[in-house]
Amino acid sequence: MAIAPRHARSWLFTPADRPDRYPRRDRPGADAVVLDLEDAVAPGRKALARHHLTRPGAVDAPVWVRINDRTSEHWRDDLEAVAGLPALDGVMLPKAEHAEHVASTAALLPAGTPVLALVETSLGMENAFAIARERATFALAFGVADFRRETGLGDAPEAWAYCRTRLVIASRAAGLRGPVDGPAMQLDDIAAVRAEAYASRAGGFTGKLCIHPAQTAVVNAAYSPAPEHIAWARRVLEKAAHSEGAAVRVDGEMIDRPRLDHARDLLEFAAALDG
């Protein structure tokens, strides 16, 4: 079942120079597949990757494409290659540091093509709200590996609290979905991936980049409404249906307008995931 990009939880990177790994309509998996022309492809194979990507029939399922960044010599060639893809859901722009990076990228794509802006630097973080407000920006994503390398942040959660919260607030203030978190780097420790994903969701993120297919199932579960939360939302709406707009008591909790709206959001999201 296809999940609309606005609800996508798992975003799986796939090297664009490996057409044998391209998604197919008969192979369910991640909510969104990102064919990668950037970090997953060696400099000497960029042209080959673009060739594979643009072969007729190479892509028969909707995909996103991560192009090279705005300052790269490959940026324009990447955009020329992806602009004609018939199954293009959108473009991921790495190292987005200014709103203009998104605007100039969108200008070379078919009108209305969404851009997922990957914030990976301290300058991009400081400009997060401006980037989020750019008309072509679909959502923000967090490039944790490059951000860690530049800033030198360690593993303590408090070291990451400011930047994570900044991306969440910038996204919501601009009217976007919550940001997409960076990938967990553990390939063989699914429990660690699960813990990271649940912590990320609790921090306001709505999805997560994945670097291996084995990560997608636990990521999807982490960002999905739990059955008990769906049951709670249904009880709330049942009570509210007879309250004539007044606050109601459900499970010992006062449910006012914000909590009622939250219950509706939960059920809407659950319905979208169920098709």
Side-chain angles (χ1 to χ4, degrees):
M1 178 192 65
I3 302 294
R6 69 180 182 277
H7 296 307
R9 301 154 296 178
S10 54
W11 298 71
L12 177 63
F13 284 122
T14 299
D17 62 344
R18 292 294 305 272
D20 56 308
R21 299 183 184 178
Y22 283 14
R24 297 293 177 189
R25 293 185 186 277
D26 58 352
R27 297 182 200 164
D31 287 350
V33 173
V34 183
L35 298 183
D36 193 6
L37 290 168
E38 197 214 15
D39 284 348
V41 178
R45 291 177 63 86
K46 302 285 189 184
L48 176 63
R50 289 191 290 268
H51 168 73
H52 284 311
L53 190 62
T54 55
R55 282 187 302 110
V59 180
D60 76 345
V63 295
W64 291 70
V65 178
R66 177 163 72 167
I67 62 173
N68 286 273
D69 72 82
R70 178 65 179 83
T71 64
S72 166
E73 62 180 310
H74 302 289
W75 173 78
R76 188 174 293 273
D77 290 338
D78 289 350
L79 287 172
E80 289 178 357
V82 304
L85 289 181
L88 184 67
D89 265 348
V91 164
M92 179 183 291
L93 178 66
K95 297 179 179 63
E97 295 187 323
H98 302 280
E100 186 275 332
H101 287 179
V102 176
S104 59
T105 296
L108 297 180
L109 292 167
T113 302
V115 178
L116 182 63
L118 192 56
V119 177
E120 305 183 82
T121 66
S122 52
L123 180 57
M125 188 65 66
E126 288 302 290
N127 290 331
F129 182 53
I131 295 170
R133 289 189 66 190
E134 164 55 41
R135 182 173 57 181
T137 301
F138 163 77
L140 301 182
F142 193 11
V144 292
D146 280 288
F147 195 80
R148 180 192 292 269
R149 179 185 57 80
E150 181 193 314
T151 61
L153 293 180
D155 293 329
E158 57 268 23
W160 295 84
Y162 165 76
C163 48
R164 288 182 169 279
T165 302
R166 185 174 181 86
L167 290 181
V168 172
I169 299 302
S171 297
R172 295 307 195 179
L176 305 180
R177 59 171 280 173
V180 178
D181 198 8
M185 306 309 291
Q186 301 91 339
L187 295 178
D188 301 315
D189 189 350
I190 295 302
V193 177
R194 180 184 294 108
E196 194 172 301
Y198 274 101
S200 165
R201 181 186 177 183
F205 285 75
T206 59
K208 192 169 182 64
L209 304 177
C210 299
I211 56 175
H212 193 280
Q215 297 178 336
T216 61
V218 295
V219 166
N220 284 345
Y223 292 94
S224 299
E228 60 269 24
H229 294 157
I230 295 174
W232 168 86
R234 287 175 176 151
R235 291 196 298 274
V236 166
L237 292 190
E238 288 171 3
K239 283 270 191 175
H242 307 289
S243 72
E244 298 183 350
V248 296
R249 178 188 176 101
V250 178
D251 300 342
E253 177 188 7
M254 186 191 76
I255 304 297
D256 55 7
R257 177 60 58 183
R259 294 293 282 161
L260 178 59
D261 289 343
H262 175 59
R264 290 195 177 107
D265 290 344
L266 275 176
L267 293 181
E268 179 185 351
F269 184 33
L273 297 181
D274 287 340

